[in-house]
Amino acid sequence: MKNTPKALSFTVQSQCLKTRARTGLMKLPHYTVKTPVFMPVGTQGTMKGILPDQLEEIDCEIILGNTYHLGNRPGVDVLKKAGGLHKFMGWNRALLTDSGGFQMVSLLKLAEITEEGVKFRSPYDNSEIMLTPEKSIEIQNCIGADIIMQLDDVVQTTFQDYDRIKEATERTSRWLDRCISAHQRPTEQNIFPIVQGLLNADLRKQSAEEHMTKDVNGFAIGGLSGGEAKDDFWPMVSLSTGILDNNRPRYLMGVGLAVDLVVCVALGVDMFDCVFPTRTARFGCALINKGQLNLKQKIYESDLNPIDTDCLCETCKRYTRAYLHCIVSSETVACHLISVHNIYFQMRLMRTMRENIEKGTFPEFVKQFMNEVYPQKTFPSWVVNSLSSVGISLE
Amino acid sequence: MRFIVTKAGYGSERIGNLTGFVKCPNVVIETPTSGLFTQGGSIVHLTADVLARVFTNPQILVMPLTNSIQLETGVKAQNEGVTKFAGLPEHVACVTVNNFSEIVPPGHFEPGKIPLWTKHGKRMTTADKYMDIMEIFRPDMFLAIADGCMSVNETPKRLSKAVDRTCKLLNTCVDRYKASKELKNSALVGVVVGAQNQKKCDECIENILKHVDCISGVALEGITDGTDLLKEDTNQYCDIFKKIGGALPKELFRILEGCWNPAMTLSAIEHGWDIFDGTYAVKLTNMGIALKLSFDVTKENETPYLLDMVDERYKEDFSPILEGCECLTCKKHTRAYIRHLLNTREMLASVLLSM
């Protein structure tokens, strides 16, 4: 380890005696974040109509920005002149940016990946652009987030070709080295490597072990949550968290459904992100423990309950399901109200998990939670198996 | 509800107080004032939580029935009035008929019925049906249903019919109002139409004054159908503000609906108009335009007061919309950020501009 001041210090506060769940404090340049944490996604430097002040009040401690989008608009020059994304959007707490690589592959079918980087056509002006590991870090250095991501070679999760997966995994490791040496602000920003290997246990093991040898302050687990079967998903999470050491935070990318969060916290994950809570809000869906309510449905027309009777968010304090039903398809206000509730819901779930880990009651909480979600005890096999791998028996 | 003129100016302009709201007896709303325009019962783009960051005191919510009629079932089930149902119980509702921030289609009349252009299409509505809804909504004040949606250049025949229809509708509203227990805490507002024709307009005002014992205020309609008024600045309108303002008793408060620019609004205030409908701010927001008026009479205002925030020139402008403005948007956010949000079609842009 080098002897420079660190941009991240992580201390485990308490450890569940049965599962791998733990709580921790992750001290970042802009904020000290309590883990396990859910990070809402604010793609373009804003959280879907919600003010930064409101996000603070619903206890968001760290949010995400997308490098690909921000690099296009407002662009690196504007962000540089504004003094970084924190100042530009008026957000004083922690930020994380992705590498931009995922958008290339998900948005742009024409992307071509070579050893040098990802080549694609800009959807804005159709020019040819090459995103290299160095370029990604350069943009992320301008944005100035507390945590930045290495550029990884992304292959669709359900892809089967072993050679291509192997190539992607090994290239991701080589690109990590290029990212680390291109990084200009190591005392203010942390690069997280991304564990790749898709659903191949050997490659994933190889990737995680290699990343462990690097001088980094935390790790991400990537290449999952891309449409694979849940029975294939959880063993990869478990394998990764088993290799990555206990003294650094582990971030599982793109996971945010309540059941997945509970299982993966039990498997030892500390950080999550997902567009789901805000995206589903735009379609009029509000999150509750049992799943979600589609407020467009006529059954809510005269339903004078709040979305969730136990919820203390600003939306549930004031608004009924009946009212939200009336405005859900026509007013932006409805979208803001449901987004506030949904983000609050995620924050509340994470807080409840942290409290239970600290009290030593996490396994009981998990059982109670699953019984509420599946009152008929029709637990999916992956939930039963994953939890039993960490000593929680549902049946 | 009461209206008292507290100070009359040298001309017809006046300062007044609206007081005596049953649900908030201590509240005083000073006029001239602009209401906050609502859609579906909510302030356009602003949730109750965000609104509370802009205003700490109660505001007048302007609620056109055409965009809030879908709340009827829910308000009825809850039985606590429209403001409570819409999550804004501490504010004061003023229900109107039409949304003048959009163009209202002309015509489509049947005897005794007025077309309401809702998002689910046209709903022909009688005065009785309208009053049924008012008894469910129980707003703090509401306009009598009227045939008030037409441009300033209507034909004499159309004007004449509009006045006759409006008088009849008012008479039904008054009968229902007098007999209604549910509406005893709601103020009834008469509607003047036909301003372009002296004789018919006098008839209309006369009919309102017949019911002056149960009418608290007057609204002026029939001079706009929601067509873009932003660029207009004609004397024709000012003359109407003056003429109608002068013909009304001073103790009635006066509501002017429509999307008037600041100069027109000032002219209306000069002629004694008290309450505006807030559509101007909504319209500008939806066009991505910021209003920059400092209201500081000691400074000559040389710069334009409308900023088109999509403009490239604000790309790297890290100053607030209006230096020294105390609103949350100006205190925390820059022109460059708002331009970025508009450019990426993010909803927060409208939130910040609305504030």
Side-chain angles (χ1 to χ4, degrees):
Chain A
M1 286 273 170
K2 276 180 271 176
N3 218 359
T4 45
K6 281 175 86 168
L8 183 153
S9 75
F10 181 68
T11 43
V12 175
Q13 300 283 299
S14 59
Q15 171 72 52
C16 173
L17 295 176
K18 196 178 240 174
T19 70
R20 291 188 196 156
R22 73 259 185 90
T23 62
L25 282 179
M26 178 169 64
K27 190 166 182 291
L28 295 166
H30 288 87
Y31 206 74
T32 299
V33 175
K34 297 189 278 293
T35 64
V37 64
F38 178 80
M39 309 181 284
V41 182
T43 300
Q44 322 211 63
T46 158
M47 188 66 64
K48 302 302 163 200
I50 305 177
L51 299 167
D53 286 10
Q54 287 175 286
L55 287 173
E56 284 191 12
E57 283 162 30
I58 47 185
D59 266 351
C60 293
E61 301 189 323
I62 175 167
I63 60 174
L64 241 80
N66 286 123
T67 296
Y68 170 73
H69 295 287
L70 290 165
N72 277 301
R73 295 182 306 196
V76 172
D77 288 349
V78 173
L79 284 167
K80 226 185 236 173
K81 285 179 191 158
L85 181 59
H86 282 95
K87 285 190 180 147
F88 186 65
M89 69 181 287
W91 173 250
N92 302 320
R93 296 187 176 181
L95 278 171
L96 182 149
T97 45
D98 65 357
S99 67
F102 181 72
Q103 264 79 22
M104 306 282 145
V105 180
S106 69
L107 292 179
L108 309 160
K109 297 195 173 62
L110 294 173
E112 184 192 327
I113 303 171
T114 62
E115 189 59 31
E116 193 189 351
V118 185
K119 190 159 75 178
F120 65 100
R121 282 201 179 281
S122 163
Y124 296 97
D125 58 8
N126 209 32
S127 61
E128 197 167 85
I129 300 172
M130 170 67 93
L131 184 76
T132 61
E134 291 78 13
K135 184 75 192 163
S136 168
I137 297 301
E138 185 194 328
I139 303 172
Q140 295 191 73
N141 279 162
C142 289
I143 297 173
D146 301 73
I147 297 175
I148 64 181
M149 287 292 137
Q150 79 152 117
L151 185 69
D152 56 344
D153 185 353
V154 182
V155 183
Q156 215 178 353
T157 311
T158 45
F159 201 74
Q160 305 270 332
D161 180 57
Y162 176 82
D163 290 338
R164 175 68 186 102
I165 301 170
K166 184 171 161 60
E167 178 191 46
T169 307
E170 291 171 352
R171 183 175 284 154
T172 294
S173 293
R174 292 194 291 276
W175 282 1
L176 172 63
D177 293 334
R178 285 168 59 187
C179 285
I180 291 175
S181 51
H183 186 22
Q184 296 294 312
R185 303 171 65 182
T187 59
E188 299 154 285
Q189 295 182 287
N190 303 280
I191 290 190
F192 278 24
I194 300 174
V195 176
Q196 273 296 352
L198 293 194
L199 304 174
N200 184 296
D202 292 335
L203 290 174
R204 203 163 266 282
K205 184 163 174 280
Q206 179 191 327
S207 176
E209 281 170 351
E210 193 156 350
H211 290 345
M212 278 290 290
T213 64
K214 300 289 157 55
D215 178 19
V216 291
N217 298 327
F219 303 97
I221 301 163
L224 295 173
S225 199
E228 72 281 15
K230 287 287 187 195
D231 289 307
D232 296 333
F233 158 81
W234 77 264
M236 293 300 117
V237 177
S238 179
L239 175 76
S240 310
T241 56
I243 296 169
L244 302 171
D245 69 85
N246 284 325
N247 306 323
R248 288 179 271 186
R250 307 162 185 146
Y251 159 33
L252 178 57
M253 303 173 82
V255 169
L257 295 178
V259 170
D260 301 5
L261 291 172
V262 173
V263 168
C264 293
V265 165
L267 295 176
V269 175
D270 305 298
M271 303 160 65
F272 302 88
D273 81 283
C274 193
V275 293
F276 170 69
T278 41
R279 178 171 292 167
T280 202
R282 289 204 292 288
F283 299 123
C285 293
L287 301 178
I288 55 168
N289 268 354
K290 285 177 189 157
Q292 46 180 320
L293 307 176
N294 182 347
L295 291 164
K296 286 184 183 162
Q297 288 173 344
K298 207 169 165 64
I299 49 168
Y300 301 114
E301 192 180 39
S302 301
D303 186 339
L304 299 172
N305 292 303
I307 295 168
D308 180 350
T309 333
D310 298 329
C311 181
L312 296 174
C313 80
E314 290 296 326
T315 303
C316 289
K317 271 192 226 165
R318 271 182 179 262
Y319 295 92
T320 60
R321 295 173 181 182
Y323 180 65
L324 293 169
H325 167 79
C326 289
I327 59 167
V328 72
S329 50
S330 58
E331 299 306 320
T332 58
V333 166
C335 173
H336 303 164
L337 289 171
I338 302 172
S339 289
V340 164
H341 168 81
N342 286 358
I343 295 174
Y344 188 92
F345 173 86
Q346 302 287 98
M347 296 299 138
R348 185 168 68 134
L349 176 61
M350 301 314 286
R351 187 168 62 237
T352 309
M353 284 198 270
R354 291 196 301 267
E355 284 164 4
N356 279 288
I357 295 167
E358 267 154 30
K359 279 191 298 193
T361 52
F362 183 68
E364 290 72 26
F365 163 79
V366 174
K367 280 187 205 171
Q368 183 203 327
F369 179 85
M370 293 301 172
N371 279 312
E372 192 184 335
V373 178
Y374 306 104
Q376 311 297 325
K377 300 203 182 292
T378 48
F379 308 114
S381 63
W382 79 274
V383 174
V384 173
N385 295 337
S386 59
L387 290 175
S388 108
S389 80
V390 286
I392 296 177
S393 157
L394 284 180
E395 282 147 332
Chain B
M1 200 198 84
R2 285 187 305 279
F3 175 71
I4 312 151
V5 175
T6 55
K7 193 174 180 201
Y10 294 110
S12 305
E13 72 276 17
R14 66 230 195 123
I15 293 175
N17 284 334
L18 291 167
T19 56
F21 299 104
V22 172
K23 66 181 174 196
C24 42
N26 299 323
V27 164
V28 179
I29 297 177
E30 195 169 73
T31 63
T33 186
S34 170
L36 301 176
F37 189 73
T38 65
Q39 276 173 203
S42 280
I43 312 294
V44 185
H45 305 303
L46 302 182
T47 65
D49 176 31
V50 174
L51 182 67
R53 291 160 207 265
V54 190
F55 296 109
T56 49
N57 48 338
Q59 300 291 316
I60 297 173
L61 310 176
V62 176
M63 289 190 180
L65 192 59
T66 51
N67 71 31
S68 58
I69 197 164
Q70 70 273 23
L71 309 185
E72 185 184 348
T73 309
V75 180
K76 192 172 180 180
Q78 194 181 40
N79 197 25
E80 294 184 63
V82 69
T83 51
K84 166 79 180 175
F85 185 63
L88 300 166
E90 61 274 57
H91 297 281
V92 169
C94 174
V95 171
T96 66
V97 180
N98 288 300
N99 167 6
F100 288 106
S101 74
E102 288 163 13
I103 296 173
V104 185
H108 300 278
F109 292 97
E110 293 168 28
K113 290 183 180 173
I114 293 292
L116 295 186
W117 299 93
T118 73
K119 70 173 169 147
H120 300 300
K122 182 183 63 171
R123 283 176 64 159
M124 297 307 294
T125 308
T126 62
D128 272 312
K129 173 64 191 162
Y130 182 77
M131 291 302 285
D132 291 344
I133 299 174
M134 289 308 111
E135 290 188 339
I136 292 166
F137 276 21
R138 302 208 299 267
D140 301 272
M141 49 183 134
F142 66 100
L143 271 55
I145 190 168
D147 179 8
C149 216
M150 66 198 87
S151 88
V152 73
N153 301 316
E154 270 314 333
T155 60
K157 190 176 161 207
R158 170 82 178 88
L159 285 176
S160 170
K161 284 203 164 162
V163 169
D164 295 346
R165 206 176 272 132
T166 297
C167 290
K168 271 192 200 148
L169 291 164
L170 178 67
N171 296 343
T172 309
C173 288
V174 166
D175 289 345
R176 286 284 307 265
Y177 180 68
K178 282 180 173 165
S180 173
K181 274 194 299 241
E182 288 81 1
L183 292 172
K184 70 178 191 318
N185 294 327
S186 305
L188 176 62
V189 179
V191 176
V192 177
V193 298
Q196 303 88 316
N197 176 323
Q198 185 76 49
K199 186 168 157 286
K200 292 307 284 184
C201 184
D202 288 347
E203 261 178 49
C204 194
I205 294 175
E206 219 167 276
N207 186 56
I208 292 172
L209 297 184
K210 261 199 326 225
H211 304 298
V212 78
D213 54 322
C214 61
I215 280 177
S216 315
V218 171
L220 174 58
E221 289 188 359
I223 53 172
T224 170
D225 56 2
T227 314
D228 199 348
L229 293 170
L230 297 182
K231 292 183 195 78
E232 302 210 22
D233 188 0
T234 62
N235 292 328
Q236 191 182 10
Y237 292 108
C238 298
D239 289 345
I240 291 172
F241 300 157
K242 184 175 179 183
K243 190 173 75 183
I244 309 293
L248 294 171
K250 295 214 169 357
E251 62 275 16
L252 298 178
F253 63 80
R254 301 169 194 166
I255 300 177
L256 180 60
E257 296 167 83
C259 197
W260 308 100
N261 68 27
M264 296 293 280
T265 303
L266 282 177
S267 158
I269 289 172
E270 205 181 317
H271 298 301
W273 292 87
D274 306 302
I275 302 172
F276 300 86
D277 71 1
T279 46
Y280 182 60
V282 172
K283 198 150 197 167
L284 292 183
T285 296
N286 292 342
M287 296 187 332
I289 291 175
L291 249 180
K292 183 188 140 220
L293 281 172
S294 65
F295 305 109
D296 183 347
V297 289
T298 59
K299 274 187 225 148
E300 213 37 63
N301 200 346
E302 289 152 0
T303 51
Y305 66 87
L306 296 179
L307 308 184
D308 177 2
M309 296 307 296
V310 187
D311 198 293
E312 180 82 20
R313 81 174 79 170
Y314 301 118
K315 195 175 171 185
E316 296 181 358
D317 183 344
F318 300 112
S319 60
I321 292 171
L322 174 60
E323 204 73 59
C325 175
E326 286 293 304
C327 86
L328 191 63
T329 302
C330 286
K331 279 199 288 193
K332 283 205 70 165
H333 297 289
T334 62
R335 295 176 180 186
Y337 185 55
I338 292 167
R339 180 189 180 273
H340 164 68
L341 295 174
L342 284 169
N343 213 10
T344 50
R345 302 182 194 284
E346 283 284 352
M347 289 177 286
L348 191 62
S350 305
V351 175
L352 293 178
L353 286 176
S354 296
M355 295 203 284

